[in-house]
Amino acid sequence: MALIVQKFGGSSVKDRDRIFNVARIVANTHNAGNDVVVVVSAQGDTTDDLITKAAEITHNPSAREMDMLLAAGEEISIALLAMALNELGCHATSLTGWQAGFRTDRAYTKARITKLETERISSELERNRVVVVAGFQGLNKLDDITDTSAVAIAAALHADRCQIFTDVEGVYTADPRKVRNTRKLDEITFDEMLELASLGAQVLNNRSVELAKKYNVELEVLSSLNPVPGTVVKEVVKDVEGMLIKGVAKDTDVAVITILNVPDEPGTSFKIFGLLAQKNINVDIILQSTGRDGKKDISFTCAESEAETALRVLRESARFDQVTCDETCAKVSIVGAGMQSHSGVASKMFEALSNNNINIKMISTSEIKISCIIDREDADKAVSAIHEMLFE
């Protein structure tokens, strides 16, 4: 008998038929003699609908109240799935994040788990019940609802497997719904998957992969609609196909902020990025010009949703008055551990963009990824062109 954690996204439980489909998958796993903990997201477009409702009230809702509002979506899902499981004769109990024992820090909308008290989950499993847990809830020191993930449960319970069910059959070399001739990967490393998730691939949450790597929780990404083998995410894989690149990703939630005429002196960069860090603003690509006449320019990227806060901090706290923001950008990236030992990959990426008359504004590289900032309107075309150049 194994302990299996299963995670189902919103599209997998969007209506009655999908809920019963998930319930049958869970019941079959449980009836095979396994202990099962299920983590469920809000149904279909529920989260978007709740965000719209908040916008009807205010254009600047507090992060705490948004977490409280969005948590309602998961509570609906877990109750309905537990009902469906009980209808199928599989005893189930639904638990909110705080009932399941999650504790997080106070960073609303992006909180990190600090502790998981597993007594309640373990008690329900001992009663031979399936435990259905809300997907994005936790409890911080102020008893406020915040974010967490299924992988944390798998790690805390020392689960044998963590299965992530989605509306696609695994991890592909690009989004199969938008790019032709994509390939499904049998395996991918934690590091590669973490890069892809961080760079816009939406099949897995980057913090889930981060936790899985930290606690060595083997993940399996598979379809809730088509019972075929998925993609396994783990520390070491057998690269039998010799693929240099594992995927092409895009991220349109990007803003490029530029600070002009910054004093070219020690401590300036610390002042800028220290202030941004205090506001929990994640900075990605950083570009600094060569100093001239005692001045330099600094550009960096952040999430578009955080750009307004970043601008305010730089203008009010750092006293920079020449700050611009470009919200018409996107980031396209390629990821693959094979780039470490093979040359020419960057050249092929740039050739694909050049052939399609796509201008590159910024470039960032690491041992296993290359990212380019381009015009947002070119993002889909860029991903298709790069994928065709590298895989076809």
Side-chain angles (χ1 to χ4, degrees):
M1 182 175 68
L3 171 57
I4 298 177
V5 176
Q6 297 179 323
K7 168 66 169 46
F8 294 89
S11 61
S12 297
V13 292
K14 69 177 184 178
D15 54 31
R16 178 192 178 279
D17 290 343
R18 292 284 182 92
I19 289 174
F20 271 100
N21 177 62
V22 167
R24 284 187 286 270
I25 293 172
V26 174
N28 289 338
T29 306
H30 184 259
N31 293 339
N34 301 299
D35 287 333
V36 185
V37 178
V38 187
V39 182
V40 189
S41 298
Q43 287 183 281
D45 297 326
T46 299
T47 297
D48 291 338
D49 293 340
L50 292 172
I51 292 173
T52 299
K53 289 182 181 297
E56 293 172 355
I57 302 301
T58 174
H59 294 298
N60 189 31
S62 74
R64 178 196 182 276
E65 299 308 330
M66 284 304 298
D67 276 343
M68 182 67 73
L69 176 66
L70 298 182
E74 277 77 35
E75 292 186 19
I76 294 171
S77 293
I78 61 173
L80 293 176
L81 180 56
M83 292 176 190
L85 284 164
N86 286 314
E87 279 293 301
L88 297 179
C90 182
H91 298 300
T93 300
S94 65
L95 299 176
T96 63
W98 65 269
Q99 288 174 322
F102 284 101
R103 295 293 181 268
T104 71
D105 59 29
R106 294 180 57 182
Y108 297 113
T109 74
K110 55 179 83 170
R112 292 183 177 270
I113 299 163
T114 57
K115 187 178 182 182
L116 177 54
E117 300 164 351
T118 61
E119 290 81 1
R120 178 68 185 275
I121 295 178
S122 298
S123 175
E124 297 293 343
L125 292 175
E126 288 173 2
R127 298 170 62 193
N128 199 32
R129 289 178 173 271
V130 171
V131 182
V132 186
V133 182
F136 286 94
Q137 294 184 356
L139 204 67
N140 64 17
K141 294 179 180 178
L142 300 179
D143 287 355
D144 298 322
I145 297 173
T146 45
D147 180 37
T148 187
S149 85
V151 180
I153 294 178
L157 295 175
H158 305 289
D160 297 280
R161 192 182 316 159
C162 183
Q163 297 177 321
I164 311 295
F165 288 86
T166 70
D167 56 354
V168 294
E169 296 175 1
V171 180
Y172 285 77
T173 50
D175 188 340
R177 294 163 294 193
K178 296 183 179 181
V179 179
R180 297 184 305 109
N181 300 326
T182 56
R183 305 181 192 178
K184 185 174 72 175
L185 304 173
D186 293 329
E187 298 178 324
I188 187 170
T189 67
F190 286 131
D191 288 336
E192 291 170 322
M193 190 67 245
L194 183 58
E195 287 284 10
L196 282 173
S198 301
L199 294 168
Q202 298 178 349
V203 66
L204 283 177
N205 179 281
N206 62 320
R207 280 189 290 175
S208 295
V209 183
E210 185 182 330
L211 275 173
K213 176 178 173 61
K214 181 177 180 180
Y215 295 103
N216 198 28
V217 175
E218 190 168 294
L219 303 177
E220 183 181 9
V221 182
L222 61 172
S223 170
S224 61
L225 304 177
N226 191 15
V228 296
T231 300
V232 176
V233 187
K234 56 185 182 179
E235 186 65 39
V236 179
V237 304
K238 297 178 181 179
D239 193 11
V240 293
E241 297 182 0
M243 295 176 65
L244 300 182
I245 303 300
K246 292 297 178 65
V248 185
K250 73 166 184 178
D251 184 2
T252 56
D253 183 21
V254 175
V256 177
I257 294 179
T258 300
I259 315 171
L260 301 174
N261 297 321
V262 177
D264 187 13
E265 57 190 26
T268 303
S269 295
F270 168 70
K271 176 182 179 182
I272 293 171
F273 296 106
L275 286 169
L276 297 175
Q278 291 175 16
K279 297 295 182 180
N280 292 313
I281 296 173
N282 290 321
V283 173
D284 186 18
I285 301 174
I286 301 174
L287 182 65
Q288 179 175 295
S289 68
T290 303
R292 64 191 184 284
D293 300 326
K295 302 288 185 180
K296 60 187 176 184
D297 300 334
I298 296 178
S299 296
F300 64 88
T301 63
C302 67
E304 184 179 359
S305 56
E306 297 179 333
E308 184 177 343
T309 302
L311 287 172
R312 186 175 65 252
V313 168
L314 293 172
R315 288 168 177 165
E316 295 179 359
S317 301
R319 304 298 183 187
F320 294 119
D321 54 6
Q322 292 181 279
V323 185
T324 65
C325 179
D326 184 355
E327 297 182 339
T328 65
C329 298
K331 178 168 58 180
V332 292
S333 308
I334 58 175
V335 174
M339 287 192 292
Q340 298 180 72
S341 55
H342 291 78
S343 61
V345 177
S347 175
K348 287 183 177 295
M349 181 182 187
F350 302 151
E351 181 183 356
L353 296 176
S354 174
N355 290 344
N356 286 270
N357 199 32
I358 298 172
N359 185 46
I360 301 172
K361 300 182 178 182
M362 300 172 73
I363 300 172
S364 174
T365 66
S366 73
E367 290 184 333
I368 65 170
K369 66 103 174 175
I370 302 171
S371 295
C372 297
I373 299 297
I374 62 174
D375 286 333
R376 188 172 299 176
E377 61 183 17
D378 292 329
D380 288 334
K381 181 171 65 172
V383 171
S384 294
I386 295 168
H387 189 274
E388 182 177 357
M389 175 68 73
L390 295 175
F391 290 98
E392 297 180 30

